[in-house]
Amino acid sequence: MRRLAAAQGTTLSHGVLMINETTHSDLVGITYWKSGSAITARLGFLRAGTNTWAGWRSMSAGLEYYNSWSGLSNGCYPTNGLLNTNGGATYQTPAADAC
């Protein structure tokens, strides 16, 4: 049985970025609550020196955006949630460590 093990968040000037992991680090979920102007961006995570990204999408104020990745086998590495805008800015959460 998986259980949520770690959650870390970052408040940005244009929303809140949050990461959740399960106890065995085999599932990572990234949530972004958007405020301010619409942007084009993608969600992802950083683990063991590698960025993994979802696709680009338009994100509007007042909405929540979510991506998850399962079946990960990288073990107990600290994992950061990422938000990358098409303007080139990348934001990240503090590391979540499920182990």
Side-chain angles (χ1 to χ4, degrees):
M1 177 173 130
R2 289 188 209 163
R3 70 174 171 56
L4 190 63
Q8 294 290 336
T10 299
T11 300
L12 308 170
S13 62
H14 48 74
V16 177
L17 182 63
M18 179 76 65
I19 180 171
N20 289 291
E21 273 192 284
T22 56
T23 51
H24 300 290
S25 299
D26 63 340
L27 182 131
V28 172
I30 308 298
T31 305
Y32 178 55
W33 291 278
K34 179 72 180 99
S35 62
S37 302
I39 60 172
T40 298
R42 58 186 177 167
L43 298 175
F45 67 94
L46 167 63
R47 178 185 279 184
T50 300
N51 292 343
T52 300
W53 297 107
W56 292 97
R57 64 176 117 169
S58 179
M59 298 181 177
S60 300
L63 298 177
E64 175 183 303
Y65 298 90
Y66 179 79
N67 269 94
S68 65
W69 294 263
S70 61
L72 304 174
S73 60
N74 289 18
C76 296
Y77 292 104
T79 305
N80 301 79
L82 300 173
L83 172 73
N84 176 233
T85 69
N86 67 339
T90 299
Y91 305 92
Q92 73 178 38
T93 67
D97 188 355
C99 299

